[in-house]
Amino acid sequence: MRVSARGLDGVVEAIEHESKWVVGVQWHPEDTDDSVEDRRALFSAFVGRAAVHAALKHSSQTSSEK
């Protein structure tokens, strides 16, 4: 894991895995008082990665059925 974001006070706010799509955040992405851009970026990245995962899973299932 590596630190990918720090707050102005130096506190770690986000971490990421070096080679897999694994992230952790030290804030509540569902909190509407925070930055819309930050929430949207995290959610978009998650949905995009989920779509890639689903497509790969579907592709491997389809090819194994042949």
Side-chain angles (χ1 to χ4, degrees):
M1 301 296 272
R2 69 179 174 88
V3 173
S4 55
R6 289 185 183 272
L8 296 175
D9 56 2
V11 171
V12 173
E13 296 286 337
I15 58 173
E16 299 178 63
H17 192 278
E18 296 280 341
S19 60
K20 298 177 183 178
W21 201 88
V22 176
V23 299
V25 295
Q26 180 60 21
W27 48 279
H28 293 274
E30 75 281 3
D31 185 356
T32 57
D33 290 338
D34 289 332
S35 167
V36 172
E37 294 81 20
D38 289 346
R39 291 193 318 266
R40 186 171 290 136
L42 181 60
F43 184 71
S44 294
F46 176 75
V47 170
R49 187 59 187 156
V52 168
H53 177 75
L56 291 172
K57 185 175 179 181
H58 178 71
S59 174
S60 68
Q61 288 175 345
T62 304
S63 62
S64 68
E65 294 172 358
K66 292 180 179 181

